[in-house]
């Protein structure tokens, strides 16, 4: 095995989602090199197994040729029923050992096989079921960053489908998904609410903290069922001249994030004694930090992408690396 | 003036919305004949004033030729800023006299002018503003049906943008709009929630009352902010095998209607002493009656289209008919 900038890599890890594929060359839980391609599972270069093999060969073929013994692990939608091969959901409570033991393998087409992590299903009587696939590895990465959080913590992963996960004794015991990001996108693009919003590009696109906070304030004082009424405010605040049209999207963003926080905080238990850890893109996390503060809550930590660390954790738990 | 099936019409009224145009030949507040065209204000045969004139001539030109003295009144989006001519919103509290006095006129292109009703704006400090245009005339029609409701009532108009209007002393004093119908449509068509739903036409399209009631039950036990989490249940109930895929739309429908009812009933005051009057398409009203019953509430009356009666009311209040 030759060196790579003087370092011998120990793991090749893949974060393979719906719209993108990222590959990490890792050593000692650190990323040596990152590559990214647009070959998410819905955007493969060809259909079926060949598409996955080709996408993998394009992003990491030279790495595999150089270090043919390098273990390879993957997470995300690549393991879904629509993915390369299904890694069926494991059930809560789920820890690293369970995730590792229920991981499945596929032949990469280049010799070595690839270990793919399962998703996590929450399904108990008298509650709505929930699913995650990929976030469990991000959580595993956060737990590697600070093992104290494994004892007890609340992990918040904002995004298209925001997750609020409760961690106890190293296990994901329960979690909830909020459609926040997708609601914003779908309502802005496809509903009457977008009609008054300046088109992207046309917009000055300046942020309007007051409009965003009006959304947060509206969410904070809401009762059960009020959201679909308050959503209509995105239109009426513009029609009544109470907000500039360029600020309507900020109101909607604040309203939807605010609703997520009101419900998520209520479900997270006593956040004065449980650390709240946020994982996600820095700009989005910043928006959530601001919103949490508005609701009287602080985040104990804000982490950028923890998927590589989580994949390292998976590789250890599965015995792929020592 | 000649007779029409032995009856002399006294009013030509138009319910002119976004997607359709309906014309009513009326006498003594009753409809003698109804016509409908697809020439809503977003689907005119040509652009600008000419498009309105042409759409009007096509649907009612022969009526105008036969009875050139017939008064003509209209309501709906035809009076919006995107309509034939804007009839600016009047503010709550709004009664029939205010609506009549703030109606505007356009030349029909065929001789007589057309009186167009304004919409109603609710805009007070410390509350979200709200708008209606067309529903105020439906409410006016209901009040003509039973003047007792003018004293005090709650009018519920389910639909794409459901309205809950509080009536006191003949006035619309306040109201709220819920995006229920549009949320259902947009989420089913454009979000991940629709992915598991059988395509329209493919679906057996059998109703599933249990799935609908699961949505209602979920709404009934919701706390503030819970909707975007519960919405995701439309996907996870399918993935977890708790509902057949063909029933997911029923769950979503029950959830969204349920949320509207929880919030709307809370805002309507004491519905044990205030009559709840529903106005809308019979099949949709039936769904709401069932949902109200599930929530422990009954509707005191269910009315089909009251726009013609409301336009008659407008014509009287404006002095167009005696």
């Amino acid at each position: 095995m030759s060196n790579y900038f003087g370092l011998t890599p120990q793991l090749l890890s893949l974060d393979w989602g719906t719209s993108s594929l990222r590959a990490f060359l890792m050593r000692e839980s650190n990323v040596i090199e990152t590559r990214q391609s647009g070959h998410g599972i819905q955007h493969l270069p060809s259909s079926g197994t060949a598409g996955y093999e080709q996408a993998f060969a394009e992003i990491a073929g030279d790495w595999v040729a150089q270090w043919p013994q390098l273990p390879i692990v993957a997470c995300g939608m690549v393991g879904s029923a629509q993915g390369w091969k299904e890694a069926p959901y494991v059930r809560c409570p789920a820890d690293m050992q369970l995730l590792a033991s229920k991981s499945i393998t596929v032949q990469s087409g280049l010799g070595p096989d690839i270990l793919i992590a399962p998703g996590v299903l929450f399904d108990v009587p008298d509650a709505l079921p929930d699913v995650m696939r990929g976030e469990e590895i991000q959580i595993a990465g956060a737990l590697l960053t600070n093992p104290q959080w494994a004892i007890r913590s609340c992990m918040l992963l904002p995004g298209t489908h925001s997750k609020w996960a409760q961690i106890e004794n190293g296990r994901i015991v329960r979690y909830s998904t909020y459609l926040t990001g997708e609601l914003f996108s779908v309502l802005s693009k496809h509903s009457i609410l977008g009609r008054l919003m300046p088109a992207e590009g046309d917009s000055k696109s300046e942020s309007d903290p007051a409009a965003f906070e009006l959304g947060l304030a509206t969410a904070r004082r809401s009762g059960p069922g009020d959201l679909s009424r308050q959503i209509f405010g995105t239109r009426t605040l513009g029609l009544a001249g109470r907000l500039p049209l360029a600020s309507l999207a900020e109101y909607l963003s604040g309203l939807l994030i605010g609703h997520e926080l009101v419900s998520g905080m209520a479900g997270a238990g006593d956040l004065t004694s449980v650390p709240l850890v946020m994982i996600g893109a820095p700009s989005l996390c910043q928006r959530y930090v601001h919103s949490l503060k508005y609701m009287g809550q602080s985040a104990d930590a804000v982490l950028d992408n923890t998927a590589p660390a989580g994949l390292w954790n998976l590789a250890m738990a599965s015995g792929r690396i020592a």
Side-chain angles (χ1 to χ4, degrees), chain A:
Chain A
M1 206 177 265
S2 49
N3 286 357
Y4 189 86
F5 294 129
L7 297 171
T8 304
Q10 297 170 320
L11 182 69
L12 199 175
S13 65
L14 305 170
D15 183 2
W16 205 330
T18 301
S19 54
S20 74
L21 163 61
R22 286 188 292 181
F24 309 98
L25 207 55
M26 301 185 71
R27 180 185 170 84
E28 301 290 342
S29 84
N30 296 313
V31 174
I32 299 172
E33 188 177 349
T34 299
R35 290 178 182 170
Q36 177 152 356
S37 92
H39 290 147
I41 72 161
Q42 287 188 353
H43 303 92
L44 294 171
S46 58
S47 65
T49 299
Y52 287 99
E53 290 180 356
Q54 187 181 338
F56 175 67
E58 283 181 18
I59 203 166
D62 59 330
W63 287 347
V64 174
Q66 191 170 1
W67 301 289
Q69 306 305 320
L70 207 56
I72 311 171
V73 296
C75 71
M77 293 302 282
V78 67
S80 71
Q82 295 77 40
W84 196 338
K85 183 178 173 184
E86 186 175 6
Y89 294 109
V90 300
R91 282 171 177 265
C92 286
D95 62 9
M96 208 62 245
Q97 288 308 320
L98 182 62
L99 289 172
S101 70
K102 297 297 185 182
S103 293
I104 55 101
T105 57
V106 289
Q107 292 301 312
S108 68
L110 300 178
D113 62 8
I114 301 174
L115 189 76
I116 300 179
V120 177
L121 172 68
F122 175 72
D123 188 11
V124 300
D126 298 325
L128 290 171
D130 216 322
V131 294
M132 64 166 64
R133 195 177 282 279
E135 292 91 349
E136 70 291 336
I137 294 297
Q138 296 228 44
I139 290 169
L143 296 180
L144 196 68
T145 305
N146 184 344
Q148 280 294 107
W149 294 331
I151 300 168
R152 187 143 188 219
S153 59
C154 175
M155 300 272 173
L156 165 53
L157 296 88
T160 304
H161 298 163
S162 289
K163 307 284 182 187
W164 290 66
Q166 315 307 322
I167 312 301
E168 291 175 21
N169 300 319
R171 297 167 167 190
I172 301 169
V173 292
R174 61 190 167 85
Y175 64 91
S176 295
T177 301
Y178 293 82
L179 209 71
T180 309
E182 185 165 7
L183 268 177
F184 179 82
S185 169
V186 166
L187 289 171
S188 301
K189 286 182 196 160
H190 299 290
S191 84
I192 195 173
L193 304 184
R195 297 252 187 93
L196 296 179
M197 295 178 188
E200 279 181 76
D202 288 5
S203 163
K204 294 289 194 310
S205 188
E206 285 168 17
S207 70
D208 181 344
F212 184 75
E213 288 189 359
L214 177 59
L216 292 175
T218 301
R220 190 170 56 181
R221 68 163 177 260
S222 64
D226 283 351
L227 181 60
S228 83
R229 176 174 70 75
Q230 296 166 340
I231 278 178
F232 195 61
T234 310
R235 178 169 174 78
T236 58
L237 286 163
L239 288 176
R242 299 252 295 261
L243 281 182
L245 301 186
S247 300
L248 298 178
E250 287 280 7
Y251 166 78
L252 182 61
S253 174
L255 181 69
L256 293 172
I257 291 174
H259 270 261
E260 177 188 333
L261 296 193
V262 165
S263 173
M265 286 163 62
D270 181 9
L271 287 173
T272 58
S273 64
V274 176
L276 177 62
V277 179
M278 209 185 301
I279 308 168
S283 63
L284 183 59
C285 283
Q286 194 48 46
R287 191 165 274 251
Y288 271 70
V289 164
H290 175 78
S291 304
L292 280 167
K293 190 176 172 190
Y294 190 89
M295 299 289 180
Q297 177 64 43
S298 60
D300 292 86
V302 178
L303 308 177
D304 198 352
N305 185 15
T306 54
L311 287 159
W312 181 269
N313 204 340
L314 176 70
M316 287 197 302
S318 64
R320 297 256 159 164
I321 52 177

